[in-house]
Amino acid sequence: MASRNVVWWVLFLTAGIWLQMVLPGVDMLIPGLILAMQERRPMQLACVFLITVLIQEGLGTLAFGACVLWYLSVMLLMVIGHWLFSTRNLFFMILLGVASGVTRYAVTQLMVSLQNAALDNAVLLEECGMQAVAIPVFWKLAELSRRWGLLHGHSA
């Protein structure tokens, strides 16, 4: 089971990186972090967090820490949301997508101002809007593939 789990995560990360090339400015790895939180396996969550942060920080143009701050804020939103909703509910994922888009906007604005860097606000708003839509969609696809692969993969 552990090897099937690792294979699924490698495929997920590969697909996420490829999708980020197709949709630049949209983080397609964060749905995996959300999925790892939902599965409540601390070691897996720690590994997924570390790997996705290293990938995103390496791909990003902002100073180190922007991705960490955004990921931690989304994780906090998940924890808070867990008290109010079922975190596997599509409605919750839509709300989380919108909240994470807003959070990403705020974190990016903060980091850009700390670096005295130039930023096209219209592009950032568009990317955050696409991020808000991408999270629930890609999360649902990842959840379905994970459930199908882990449940039905044992017969292969």
Side-chain angles (χ1 to χ4, degrees):
M1 179 85 154
S3 62
R4 190 175 300 124
N5 189 35
V6 170
V7 168
W8 188 90
W9 282 108
V10 168
L11 292 173
F12 171 84
L13 293 170
T14 303
I17 293 168
W18 178 80
L19 284 168
Q20 284 183 192
M21 290 184 343
V22 174
L23 295 169
V26 179
D27 183 336
M28 299 304 277
L29 301 181
I30 199 156
L33 182 64
I34 293 167
L35 199 58
M37 286 186 71
Q38 290 172 330
E39 291 182 358
R40 298 177 185 252
R41 296 169 61 193
M43 185 57 73
Q44 175 179 278
L45 176 59
C47 290
V48 170
F49 179 80
L50 180 63
I51 291 167
T52 55
V53 163
L54 289 174
I55 290 170
Q56 294 299 25
E57 290 289 358
L59 295 173
T61 56
L62 293 176
F64 186 82
C67 178
V68 173
L69 185 58
W70 184 50
Y71 276 22
L72 290 175
S73 67
V74 171
M75 292 172 76
L76 179 63
L77 289 170
M78 278 285 296
V79 170
I80 292 169
H82 179 70
W83 293 336
L84 303 171
F85 302 99
S86 165
T87 59
R88 292 192 182 268
N89 182 326
L90 186 57
F91 177 70
F92 173 73
M93 281 296 123
I94 292 169
L95 288 176
L96 183 65
V98 171
S100 66
V102 170
T103 305
R104 179 172 177 221
Y105 180 84
V107 167
T108 304
Q109 286 287 4
L110 172 69
M111 296 305 284
V112 165
S113 69
L114 291 174
Q115 290 179 222
N116 289 325
L119 175 70
D120 185 343
N121 208 31
V123 171
L124 178 60
L125 281 171
E126 182 180 326
E127 289 174 353
C128 291
M130 290 187 328
Q131 185 70 61
V133 172
I135 285 177
V137 171
F138 197 52
W139 165 82
K140 189 62 179 175
L141 291 173
E143 182 195 40
L144 290 172
S145 74
R146 184 138 173 91
R147 189 178 329 150
W148 184 83
L150 292 179
L151 292 178
H152 301 295
H154 60 76
S155 62

